[in-house]
Protein backbone atom coordinates (compact mmCIF):
# COMPACT_ATOMS: atom_id res chain seq x y z
CA UNK A 1 0.00 0.00 0.00
CA UNK A 2 1.27 3.49 -0.91
CA UNK A 3 -0.32 6.68 0.40
CA UNK A 4 -0.23 9.82 -1.74
CA UNK A 5 -1.25 13.15 -0.21
CA UNK A 6 -1.67 15.75 -2.95
CA UNK A 7 -4.07 18.27 -4.44
CA UNK A 8 -5.31 18.13 -8.07
CA UNK A 9 -4.09 20.90 -10.37
CA UNK A 10 -3.76 21.86 -14.02
CA UNK A 11 -0.09 22.79 -13.54
CA UNK A 12 2.68 20.40 -14.59
CA UNK A 13 3.35 17.79 -11.98
CA UNK A 14 6.70 17.55 -10.24
CA UNK A 15 7.76 14.53 -8.23
CA UNK A 16 10.84 15.17 -6.10
CA UNK A 17 12.35 11.90 -4.94
CA UNK A 18 14.57 12.90 -2.00
CA UNK A 19 15.65 9.41 -0.89
CA UNK A 20 16.91 9.40 1.73
CA UNK A 21 20.19 7.73 0.83
CA UNK A 22 20.51 3.97 1.35
CA UNK A 23 16.87 3.34 0.43
CA UNK A 24 17.48 2.08 -3.09
CA UNK A 25 18.26 5.50 -4.56
CA UNK A 26 21.02 4.19 -6.83
CA UNK A 27 18.76 1.51 -8.32
CA UNK A 28 15.86 3.93 -8.79
CA UNK A 29 18.08 6.54 -10.45
CA UNK A 30 19.72 3.98 -12.70
CA UNK A 31 16.31 2.75 -13.88
CA UNK A 32 14.99 6.29 -14.43
CA UNK A 33 18.13 7.29 -16.32
CA UNK A 34 18.03 4.21 -18.54
CA UNK A 35 14.30 4.82 -19.21
CA UNK A 36 14.62 8.52 -20.05
CA UNK A 37 13.68 8.23 -23.73
CA UNK A 38 10.60 6.11 -23.12
CA UNK A 39 9.57 8.31 -20.20
CA UNK A 40 9.75 11.40 -22.38
CA UNK A 41 7.67 9.71 -25.07
CA UNK A 42 5.02 9.07 -22.40
CA UNK A 43 5.09 12.65 -21.12
CA UNK A 44 7.53 12.26 -18.21
CA UNK A 45 10.64 14.43 -18.16
CA UNK A 46 13.60 13.02 -16.23
CA UNK A 47 16.23 15.75 -16.72
CA UNK A 48 19.67 14.46 -17.66
CA UNK A 49 21.97 13.62 -14.75
CA UNK A 50 24.39 16.43 -13.97
CA UNK A 51 27.36 14.07 -13.51
CA UNK A 52 26.53 11.00 -15.59
CA UNK A 53 30.03 9.55 -15.23
CA UNK A 54 29.48 9.24 -11.49
CA UNK A 55 25.75 9.27 -10.69
CA UNK A 56 22.39 8.78 -12.38
CA UNK A 57 20.84 11.34 -10.02
CA UNK A 58 19.75 14.71 -11.36
CA UNK A 59 19.03 18.11 -9.80
CA UNK A 60 22.55 18.60 -8.40
CA UNK A 61 22.45 22.37 -8.94
CA UNK A 62 19.14 22.62 -7.12
CA UNK A 63 20.49 20.52 -4.24
CA UNK A 64 23.60 22.69 -4.06
CA UNK A 65 21.54 25.85 -3.79
CA UNK A 66 19.23 24.39 -1.16
CA UNK A 67 22.10 23.06 0.96
CA UNK A 68 23.62 26.52 1.37
CA UNK A 69 23.54 27.60 5.00
CA UNK A 70 22.28 31.13 5.79
CA UNK A 71 25.28 33.43 5.30
CA UNK A 72 23.91 36.77 4.15
CA UNK A 73 23.54 35.81 0.49
CA UNK A 74 20.01 34.41 0.79
CA UNK A 75 18.50 36.85 -1.73
CA UNK A 76 21.03 35.93 -4.43
CA UNK A 77 20.57 32.21 -3.80
CA UNK A 78 16.80 32.62 -3.91
CA UNK A 79 17.04 34.41 -7.25
CA UNK A 80 19.08 31.51 -8.68
CA UNK A 81 16.61 29.03 -7.20
CA UNK A 82 13.69 30.78 -8.90
CA UNK A 83 15.60 30.77 -12.21
CA UNK A 84 16.34 27.01 -11.98
CA UNK A 85 12.72 26.18 -11.15
CA UNK A 86 11.37 28.33 -13.98
CA UNK A 87 13.77 26.70 -16.44
CA UNK A 88 12.51 23.33 -15.29
CA UNK A 89 8.88 24.34 -15.79
CA UNK A 90 9.73 25.72 -19.24
CA UNK A 91 11.47 22.45 -20.17
CA UNK A 92 8.31 20.54 -19.27
CA UNK A 93 6.25 22.69 -21.65
CA UNK A 94 8.85 22.60 -24.44
CA UNK A 95 9.02 18.81 -24.28
CA UNK A 96 5.22 18.51 -23.94
CA UNK A 97 5.66 16.62 -20.68
CA UNK A 98 2.98 16.60 -18.01
CA UNK A 99 5.33 15.40 -15.24
CA UNK A 100 8.88 16.25 -14.23
CA UNK A 101 10.84 13.78 -12.08
CA UNK A 102 13.80 14.72 -9.91
CA UNK A 103 15.73 12.14 -7.92
CA UNK A 104 18.62 13.03 -5.64
CA UNK A 105 19.33 11.99 -2.05
CA UNK A 106 21.25 15.25 -1.56
CA UNK A 107 17.90 16.99 -1.14
CA UNK A 108 18.04 15.57 2.39
CA UNK A 109 20.94 17.94 3.16
CA UNK A 110 18.57 20.91 2.88
CA UNK A 111 18.23 22.96 6.11
CA UNK A 112 14.61 23.29 7.21
CA UNK A 113 14.37 27.07 6.46
CA UNK A 114 15.45 26.36 2.88
CA UNK A 115 12.74 23.70 2.56
CA UNK A 116 10.24 26.44 3.37
CA UNK A 117 11.75 28.57 0.60
CA UNK A 118 11.55 25.66 -1.84
CA UNK A 119 7.90 25.03 -0.96
CA UNK A 120 7.04 28.69 -1.49
CA UNK A 121 8.55 28.83 -4.99
CA UNK A 122 7.39 25.41 -6.17
CA UNK A 123 3.73 26.08 -5.48
CA UNK A 124 3.12 28.65 -8.28
CA UNK A 125 4.87 26.50 -10.91
CA UNK A 126 4.03 22.88 -10.20
CA UNK A 127 1.56 20.50 -8.69
CA UNK A 128 4.40 18.93 -6.73
CA UNK A 129 4.86 15.99 -4.40
CA UNK A 130 7.77 14.87 -2.25
CA UNK A 131 8.58 11.16 -2.55
CA UNK A 132 10.28 9.49 0.43
CA UNK A 133 11.14 5.80 0.69
CA UNK A 134 10.79 4.46 4.23
CA UNK A 135 13.33 1.87 5.33
CA UNK A 136 13.52 0.27 8.76
CA UNK A 137 16.00 2.23 10.91
CA UNK A 138 18.29 -0.68 11.78
CA UNK A 139 18.94 -1.70 8.16
CA UNK A 140 19.27 1.95 7.20
CA UNK A 141 21.89 2.56 9.89
CA UNK A 142 23.86 -0.54 8.95
CA UNK A 143 23.82 0.36 5.26
CA UNK A 144 24.86 3.96 6.03
CA UNK A 145 27.74 2.70 8.19
CA UNK A 146 28.96 0.38 5.44
CA UNK A 147 28.77 3.28 2.96
CA UNK A 148 30.99 5.31 5.30
CA UNK A 149 33.50 2.46 5.42
CA UNK A 150 33.44 2.24 1.61
CA UNK A 151 33.58 5.93 0.79
CA UNK A 152 34.69 8.00 3.80
CA UNK A 153 37.50 5.97 5.39
CA UNK A 154 35.29 5.24 8.41
CA UNK A 155 36.92 2.78 10.81
CA UNK A 156 34.84 2.86 14.01
CA UNK A 157 32.63 -0.05 15.03
CA UNK A 158 28.95 -0.09 14.08
CA UNK A 159 27.70 0.14 17.66
CA UNK A 160 29.43 3.47 18.36
CA UNK A 161 28.47 4.81 14.93
CA UNK A 162 24.81 3.96 15.52
CA UNK A 163 24.80 5.50 19.00
CA UNK A 164 26.13 8.78 17.60
CA UNK A 165 24.27 9.10 14.29
CA UNK A 166 20.85 7.46 14.75
CA UNK A 167 19.38 10.94 15.25
CA UNK A 168 19.99 11.56 11.53
CA UNK A 169 17.29 9.02 10.65
CA UNK A 170 14.65 10.96 12.59
CA UNK A 171 15.78 14.42 11.48
CA UNK A 172 15.69 13.56 7.76
CA UNK A 173 12.06 12.42 7.83
CA UNK A 174 10.90 15.01 10.39
CA UNK A 175 12.27 17.94 8.35
CA UNK A 176 10.08 17.01 5.38
CA UNK A 177 7.07 15.96 7.45
CA UNK A 178 7.14 19.30 9.26
CA UNK A 179 7.25 21.38 6.06
CA UNK A 180 5.28 19.45 3.43
CA UNK A 181 1.82 17.92 3.48
CA UNK A 182 1.93 16.61 -0.11
CA UNK A 183 4.20 13.65 0.61
CA UNK A 184 4.32 10.23 -1.02
CA UNK A 185 5.51 7.51 1.36
CA UNK A 186 6.74 4.28 -0.16
CA UNK A 187 7.93 1.32 1.96
CA UNK A 188 11.40 0.07 1.08
CA UNK A 189 11.36 -3.31 -0.63
CA UNK A 190 14.53 -4.50 -2.31
CA UNK A 191 12.62 -7.10 -4.33
CA UNK A 192 9.82 -4.75 -5.50
CA UNK A 193 11.53 -1.37 -5.51
CA UNK A 194 11.25 -0.56 -9.22
CA UNK A 195 7.75 -1.97 -9.51
CA UNK A 196 6.67 0.23 -6.59
CA UNK A 197 8.23 3.37 -8.07
CA UNK A 198 6.58 2.68 -11.42
CA UNK A 199 3.23 2.44 -9.60
CA UNK A 200 3.84 5.82 -7.95
CA UNK A 201 4.54 7.35 -11.35
CA UNK A 202 1.48 5.74 -12.90
CA UNK A 203 3.51 3.69 -15.39
CA UNK A 204 2.68 0.36 -16.98
CA UNK A 205 5.18 -2.04 -15.40
CA UNK A 206 4.87 -4.42 -18.37
CA UNK A 207 5.58 -1.70 -20.89
CA UNK A 208 8.63 -0.58 -18.94
CA UNK A 209 9.78 -4.17 -18.39
CA UNK A 210 10.46 -3.70 -14.68
CA UNK A 211 10.80 -7.41 -13.88
CA UNK A 212 14.50 -7.65 -14.84
CA UNK A 213 15.12 -4.76 -12.43
CA UNK A 214 13.46 -6.41 -9.46
CA UNK A 215 16.06 -7.15 -6.82
CA UNK A 216 18.90 -5.86 -8.99
CA UNK A 217 21.80 -4.61 -6.87
CA UNK A 218 23.37 -1.38 -8.12
CA UNK A 219 25.45 -0.37 -5.10
CA UNK A 220 25.89 -3.51 -3.03
CA UNK A 221 27.09 -3.67 0.55
CA UNK A 222 30.20 -5.57 1.64
CA UNK A 223 31.04 -9.09 2.66
CA UNK A 224 32.43 -9.72 6.13
CA UNK A 225 35.94 -10.12 4.78
CA UNK A 226 35.71 -6.92 2.73
CA UNK A 227 34.47 -4.97 5.75
CA UNK A 228 37.30 -6.27 7.89
CA UNK A 229 39.93 -5.39 5.29
CA UNK A 230 38.59 -1.86 4.83
CA UNK A 231 38.26 -1.21 8.56
CA UNK A 232 41.92 -2.10 8.96
CA UNK A 233 43.12 -0.08 6.00
CA UNK A 234 40.96 2.91 7.00
CA UNK A 235 42.37 2.82 10.53
CA UNK A 236 45.84 3.38 9.10
CA UNK A 237 45.36 5.38 5.92
CA UNK A 238 42.43 7.70 6.79
CA UNK A 239 42.14 8.41 3.06
CA UNK A 240 38.64 8.32 1.50
CA UNK A 241 40.25 8.03 -1.95
CA UNK A 242 41.90 4.76 -0.92
CA UNK A 243 38.65 3.44 0.60
CA UNK A 244 36.76 4.19 -2.61
CA UNK A 245 39.39 2.67 -4.89
CA UNK A 246 39.61 -0.50 -2.85
CA UNK A 247 35.86 -0.99 -2.29
CA UNK A 248 35.07 -0.32 -5.95
CA UNK A 249 37.70 -2.85 -6.90
CA UNK A 250 36.26 -5.50 -4.57
CA UNK A 251 32.68 -4.94 -5.74
CA UNK A 252 33.62 -4.93 -9.42
CA UNK A 253 35.39 -8.25 -9.05
CA UNK A 254 32.56 -9.90 -7.07
CA UNK A 255 29.36 -7.99 -7.88
CA UNK A 256 27.04 -10.73 -6.56
CA UNK A 257 28.93 -11.68 -3.41
CA UNK A 258 26.81 -12.39 -0.34
CA UNK A 259 26.90 -9.32 1.90
CA UNK A 260 27.37 -9.40 5.66
CA UNK A 261 25.11 -8.00 8.38
CA UNK A 262 25.43 -8.23 12.14
CA UNK A 263 22.63 -7.39 14.54
CA UNK A 264 22.78 -7.58 18.33
CA UNK A 265 20.08 -6.84 20.93
CA UNK A 266 21.82 -3.92 22.66
CA UNK A 267 22.25 -1.86 19.50
CA UNK A 268 18.78 -2.88 18.28
CA UNK A 269 17.19 -1.59 21.49
CA UNK A 270 19.13 1.68 21.28
CA UNK A 271 17.97 2.31 17.72
CA UNK A 272 14.35 1.35 18.43
CA UNK A 273 14.06 3.81 21.34
CA UNK A 274 15.76 6.65 19.47
CA UNK A 275 13.39 6.57 16.47
CA UNK A 276 10.08 5.71 18.19
CA UNK A 277 8.54 9.16 17.68
CA UNK A 278 9.28 9.51 13.98
CA UNK A 279 8.19 5.93 13.29
CA UNK A 280 4.85 6.74 14.91
CA UNK A 281 4.47 9.78 12.64
CA UNK A 282 5.30 7.80 9.51
CA UNK A 283 2.94 4.97 10.36
CA UNK A 284 0.14 7.42 11.16
CA UNK A 285 0.28 8.35 7.46
CA UNK A 286 1.05 4.87 6.11
CA UNK A 287 0.35 1.93 8.45
CA UNK A 288 3.15 -0.65 8.46
CA UNK A 289 5.38 1.74 6.53
CA UNK A 290 8.40 0.48 8.45
CA UNK A 291 8.97 -3.16 7.68
CA UNK A 292 11.13 -4.97 10.25
CA UNK A 293 14.54 -6.22 9.09
CA UNK A 294 14.59 -9.85 7.99
CA UNK A 295 17.90 -10.76 9.61
CA UNK A 296 17.62 -12.23 13.14
CA UNK A 297 19.13 -10.64 16.20
CA UNK A 298 22.43 -12.30 17.07
CA UNK A 299 23.11 -12.30 20.79
CA UNK A 300 26.76 -13.21 20.28
CA UNK A 301 29.07 -10.24 20.45
CA UNK A 302 32.50 -9.98 18.98
CA UNK A 303 35.14 -7.80 20.56
CA UNK A 304 36.18 -6.42 17.19
CA UNK A 305 35.28 -6.65 13.54
CA UNK A 306 38.94 -7.34 12.76
CA UNK A 307 39.57 -10.29 15.06
CA UNK A 308 40.96 -13.56 13.73
CA UNK A 309 40.91 -13.18 9.97
CA UNK A 310 44.46 -12.83 8.65
CA UNK A 311 44.28 -16.15 6.79
CA UNK A 312 41.01 -15.11 5.12
CA UNK A 313 42.51 -11.77 4.10
CA UNK A 314 45.48 -13.50 2.49
CA UNK A 315 43.14 -15.88 0.65
CA UNK A 316 41.00 -13.02 -0.66
CA UNK A 317 44.00 -11.08 -1.86
CA UNK A 318 45.47 -14.13 -3.51
CA UNK A 319 42.26 -15.42 -5.09
CA UNK A 320 39.81 -12.59 -5.71
CA UNK A 321 41.78 -9.36 -5.92
CA UNK A 322 44.81 -10.60 -7.79
CA UNK A 323 44.73 -11.08 -11.55
CA UNK A 324 48.11 -10.31 -13.05
CA UNK A 325 46.80 -10.54 -16.60
CA UNK A 326 44.18 -7.82 -16.24
CA UNK A 327 44.41 -5.89 -12.99
CA UNK A 328 46.80 -3.00 -12.45
CA UNK A 329 48.32 -2.21 -9.09
CA UNK A 330 45.79 -0.53 -6.83
CA UNK A 331 46.66 3.14 -7.00
CA UNK A 332 44.94 6.49 -6.77
CA UNK A 333 44.55 8.06 -10.22
CA UNK A 334 46.85 11.12 -10.17
CA UNK A 335 44.70 12.78 -12.84
CA UNK A 336 41.71 12.80 -10.46
CA UNK A 337 41.58 16.25 -8.88
CA UNK A 338 39.54 14.92 -5.97
CA UNK A 339 42.36 12.60 -4.89
CA UNK A 340 44.72 14.14 -2.34
CA UNK A 341 48.33 14.58 -3.40
CA UNK A 342 49.21 12.75 -0.18
CA UNK A 343 47.34 9.63 -1.23
CA UNK A 344 49.66 6.66 -1.37
CA UNK A 345 49.74 3.87 -3.89
CA UNK A 346 48.58 0.59 -2.39
CA UNK A 347 49.90 -2.52 -4.05
CA UNK A 348 48.29 -5.76 -2.94
CA UNK A 349 51.26 -7.06 -0.99
CA UNK A 350 51.46 -3.86 1.02
CA UNK A 351 47.72 -3.97 1.63
CA UNK A 352 47.95 -7.43 3.14
CA UNK A 353 50.75 -6.34 5.44
CA UNK A 354 48.84 -3.22 6.50
CA UNK A 355 45.90 -5.37 7.53
CA UNK A 356 48.14 -7.74 9.49
CA UNK A 357 49.83 -4.78 11.17
CA UNK A 358 46.60 -3.43 12.63
CA UNK A 359 46.11 -6.71 14.44
CA UNK A 360 49.67 -7.24 15.56
CA UNK A 361 50.54 -3.83 17.03
CA UNK A 362 48.91 -1.86 19.77
CA UNK A 363 46.79 0.16 17.36
CA UNK A 364 46.73 3.37 19.36
CA UNK A 365 46.67 6.58 17.41
CA UNK A 366 50.34 7.49 17.85
CA UNK A 367 51.49 4.14 16.44
CA UNK A 368 49.15 4.24 13.46
CA UNK A 369 50.01 7.89 12.88
CA UNK A 370 53.68 7.05 12.40
CA UNK A 371 52.89 4.40 9.81
CA UNK A 372 50.41 6.70 8.11
CA UNK A 373 53.03 9.48 8.03
CA UNK A 374 55.50 7.20 6.28
CA UNK A 375 52.83 6.19 3.75
CA UNK A 376 51.78 9.72 2.96
CA UNK A 377 55.03 11.66 2.95
CA UNK A 378 57.41 11.62 -0.01
CA UNK A 379 60.16 9.07 0.60
CA UNK A 380 63.15 10.45 2.49
CA UNK A 381 65.51 7.66 1.52
CA UNK A 382 67.11 9.73 -1.28
CA UNK A 383 68.51 12.16 1.29
CA UNK A 384 70.61 9.36 2.75
CA UNK A 385 72.15 8.06 -0.46
CA UNK A 386 75.31 6.14 0.32
CA UNK A 387 74.21 5.47 3.89
CA UNK A 388 71.10 3.36 3.25
CA UNK A 389 70.70 0.30 1.01
CA UNK A 390 69.43 1.37 -2.42
CA UNK A 391 66.15 -0.51 -1.93
CA UNK A 392 65.46 0.57 1.66
CA UNK A 393 61.76 1.24 2.42
CA UNK A 394 60.65 3.14 5.53
CA UNK A 395 57.16 1.64 5.39
CA UNK A 396 58.46 -1.90 5.00
CA UNK A 397 60.91 -1.38 7.85
CA UNK A 398 58.12 -0.34 10.22
CA UNK A 399 55.83 -3.19 9.18
CA UNK A 400 58.51 -5.86 9.34
CA UNK A 401 59.97 -4.56 12.60
CA UNK A 402 56.91 -4.01 14.73
CA UNK A 403 58.89 -3.15 17.87
CA UNK A 404 60.18 -0.09 16.02
CA UNK A 405 56.62 0.86 15.11
CA UNK A 406 55.46 0.41 18.72
CA UNK A 407 58.33 2.49 19.98
CA UNK A 408 57.50 5.38 17.67
CA UNK A 409 61.02 5.66 16.26
CA UNK A 410 61.69 7.17 12.86
CA UNK A 411 62.50 4.18 10.62
CA UNK A 412 65.56 5.66 8.90
CA UNK A 413 67.12 6.91 12.13
CA UNK A 414 66.49 3.57 13.82
CA UNK A 415 67.99 1.59 10.97
CA UNK A 416 71.14 3.71 10.77
CA UNK A 417 71.66 3.74 14.53
CA UNK A 418 70.65 0.18 15.37
CA UNK A 419 68.99 -1.85 12.63
CA UNK A 420 71.91 -2.10 10.22
CA UNK A 421 74.21 -3.52 12.90
CA UNK A 422 71.47 -5.89 14.05
CA UNK A 423 70.82 -7.19 10.53
CA UNK A 424 67.22 -6.04 10.57
CA UNK A 425 64.86 -6.85 7.70
CA UNK A 426 64.10 -3.69 5.75
CA UNK A 427 62.36 -4.69 2.49
CA UNK A 428 59.47 -6.88 1.46
CA UNK A 429 59.89 -9.59 -1.09
CA UNK A 430 58.80 -8.31 -4.51
CA UNK A 431 57.54 -11.68 -5.72
CA UNK A 432 54.85 -13.96 -4.34
CA UNK A 433 52.67 -13.19 -1.35
CA UNK A 434 54.06 -10.81 1.30
CA UNK A 435 56.09 -12.26 4.14
CA UNK A 436 56.27 -11.37 7.82
CA UNK A 437 59.37 -11.61 9.95
CA UNK A 438 58.29 -15.13 10.96
CA UNK A 439 57.99 -16.08 7.30
CA UNK A 440 61.51 -14.84 6.69
CA UNK A 441 62.86 -17.00 9.51
CA UNK A 442 61.02 -20.03 8.13
CA UNK A 443 62.49 -19.44 4.68
CA UNK A 444 66.05 -19.01 5.87
CA UNK A 445 66.05 -15.27 5.19
CA UNK A 446 65.32 -15.48 1.44
CA UNK A 447 61.98 -13.67 1.44
CA UNK A 448 63.32 -10.15 2.01
CA UNK A 449 66.55 -8.24 1.70
CA UNK A 450 68.78 -7.58 4.68
CA UNK A 451 71.32 -4.89 5.41
Amino acid sequence: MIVILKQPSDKPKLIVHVGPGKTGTSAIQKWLSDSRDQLRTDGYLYPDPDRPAYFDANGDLLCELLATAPNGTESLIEERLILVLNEMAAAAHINACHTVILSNELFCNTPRPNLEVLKRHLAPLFDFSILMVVRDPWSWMWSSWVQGVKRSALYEEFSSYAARDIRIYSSVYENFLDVFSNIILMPYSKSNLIKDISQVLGLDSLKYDVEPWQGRIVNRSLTQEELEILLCVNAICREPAVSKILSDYMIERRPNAEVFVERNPEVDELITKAVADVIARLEAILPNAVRPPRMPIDGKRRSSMIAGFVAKVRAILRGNLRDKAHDPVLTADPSNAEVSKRTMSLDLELLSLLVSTVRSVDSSENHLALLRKMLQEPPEEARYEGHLPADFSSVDYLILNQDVLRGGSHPIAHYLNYGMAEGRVYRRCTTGMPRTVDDVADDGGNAVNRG
Side-chain angles (χ1 to χ4, degrees):
M1 177 183 179
I2 299 172
V3 170
I4 304 177
L5 306 176
K6 62 184 182 66
Q7 298 297 323
S9 171
D10 293 332
K11 292 176 287 190
K13 293 182 179 179
L14 172 66
I15 296 179
V16 186
H17 170 226
V18 302
K22 311 315 299 178
T23 59
T25 52
S26 296
I28 290 172
Q29 290 156 6
K30 177 64 175 172
W31 175 73
L32 288 170
S33 182
D34 286 1
S35 305
R36 280 201 306 274
D37 292 341
Q38 184 61 52
L39 285 169
R40 187 169 299 187
T41 299
D42 293 340
Y44 294 84
L45 177 64
Y46 184 72
D48 292 344
D50 298 285
R51 293 180 291 169
Y54 300 98
F55 303 105
D56 291 298
N58 57 18
D60 274 0
L61 177 58
L62 189 56
C63 290
E64 182 180 332
L65 291 171
L66 292 171
T68 306
N71 57 6
T73 61
E74 288 83 353
S75 59
L76 178 61
I77 292 172
E78 194 163 349
E79 287 178 9
R80 294 180 64 193
L81 178 66
I82 293 171
L83 178 63
V84 170
L85 295 177
N86 275 276
E87 288 177 347
M88 197 182 304
H93 290 293
I94 291 171
N95 288 278
C97 290
H98 53 74
T99 302
V100 178
I101 305 167
L102 296 180
S103 179
N104 200 318
E105 55 268 42
L106 296 181
F107 280 113
C108 288
N109 295 338
T110 306
R112 189 174 304 191
N114 291 0
L115 289 180
E116 297 282 2
V117 174
L118 176 65
K119 178 182 177 181
R120 184 167 69 249
H121 292 297
L122 280 178
L125 298 172
F126 297 99
D127 171 20
F128 71 94
S129 299
I130 305 296
L131 169 61
M132 302 193 81
V133 180
V134 182
R135 187 173 184 179
D136 79 88
W138 188 92
S139 297
W140 184 83
M141 284 301 304
W142 178 271
S143 188
S144 299
W145 173 69
V146 172
Q147 187 74 358
V149 175
K150 289 163 55 177
R151 293 291 185 264
S152 304
L154 187 68
Y155 57 92
E156 70 177 313
E157 296 291 328
F158 174 67
S159 57
S160 59
Y161 172 85
R164 186 187 69 248
D165 282 356
I166 184 57
R167 59 180 179 79
I168 296 175
Y169 180 92
S170 296
S171 64
V172 164
Y173 289 104
E174 286 174 342
N175 281 346
F176 285 91
L177 290 172
D178 289 346
V179 174
F180 298 99
S181 59
N182 46 342
I183 290 180
I184 305 171
L185 293 182
M186 190 177 89
Y188 174 79
S189 171
K190 184 182 296 185
S191 60
N192 290 304
L193 187 67
I194 303 305
K195 186 175 182 179
D196 288 345
I197 195 74
S198 67
Q199 178 186 343
V200 168
L201 298 175
L203 301 174
D204 183 342
S205 60
L206 293 177
K207 180 179 180 180
Y208 280 81
D209 195 23
V210 302
E211 285 304 320
W213 288 84
Q214 299 297 78
R216 181 182 295 188
I217 299 173
V218 175
N219 180 21
R220 78 159 170 86
S221 189
L222 298 174
T223 68
Q224 181 176 4
E225 293 86 353
E226 291 166 347
L227 264 175
E228 291 169 338
I229 291 172
L230 280 173
L231 286 169
C232 288
V233 173
N234 291 350
I236 293 177
C237 300
R238 314 289 172 87
E239 282 281 3
V242 173
S243 304
K244 183 180 186 304
I245 292 166
L246 184 55
S247 62
D248 285 351
Y249 191 80
M250 292 170 168
I251 292 170
E252 181 182 352
R253 292 305 306 275
R254 300 196 300 168
N256 299 313
E258 184 176 353
V259 301
F260 172 73
V261 292
E262 182 183 57
R263 189 175 173 213
N264 69 60
E266 291 87 353
V267 179
D268 192 77
E269 182 179 4
L270 179 150
I271 292 174
T272 300
K273 289 181 178 179
V275 301
D277 290 344
V278 72
I279 294 298
R281 291 187 66 180
L282 292 169
E283 297 203 329
I285 298 173
L286 177 58
N288 301 314
V290 182
R291 298 171 178 174
R294 290 182 291 177
M295 67 288 296
I297 295 178
D298 182 3
K300 299 178 182 179
R301 300 196 62 183
R302 294 181 297 164
S303 60
S304 172
M305 285 286 293
I306 62 174
F309 69 97
V310 170
K312 288 189 290 184
V313 169
R314 299 261 174 111
I316 290 171
L317 291 174
R318 184 184 296 111
N320 296 316
L321 294 181
R322 198 175 184 84
D323 187 340
K324 295 181 181 178
H326 301 97
D327 296 326
V329 168
L330 282 177
T331 180
D333 180 1
S335 65
N336 186 348
E338 297 180 1
V339 176
S340 167
K341 292 180 180 179
R342 298 183 300 111
T343 298
M344 72 300 296
S345 295
L346 280 182
D347 65 75
L348 300 178
E349 294 178 355
L350 178 56
L351 173 61
S352 181
L353 283 171
L354 288 174
V355 173
S356 300
T357 298
V358 173
R359 288 195 68 243
S360 57
V361 303
D362 172 15
S363 55
S364 58
E365 174 56 32
N366 58 328
H367 300 150
L368 297 182
L370 176 61
L371 184 57
R372 184 163 60 253
K373 183 173 185 289
M374 293 299 103
L375 281 163
Q376 293 176 337
E377 285 191 350
E380 298 182 61
E381 287 82 347
R383 293 168 47 193
Y384 296 87
E385 185 176 359
H387 298 279
L388 289 172
D391 58 350
F392 182 88
S393 166
S394 296
V395 174
D396 288 2
Y397 189 72
L398 288 173
I399 292 176
L400 296 171
N401 297 277
Q402 307 253 323
D403 58 322
V404 181
L405 179 59
R406 292 190 190 94
S409 300
H410 192 285
I412 293 178
H414 187 279
Y415 181 78
L416 292 176
N417 291 327
Y418 309 103
M420 185 182 297
E422 296 169 1
R424 294 260 189 168
V425 176
Y426 63 79
R427 186 75 180 181
R428 292 177 292 133
C429 179
T430 56
T431 59
M433 288 303 292
R435 305 299 184 95
T436 65
V437 177
D438 291 338
D439 295 327
V440 174
D442 293 339
D443 290 348
N446 295 320
V448 293
N449 299 322
R450 292 183 179 273

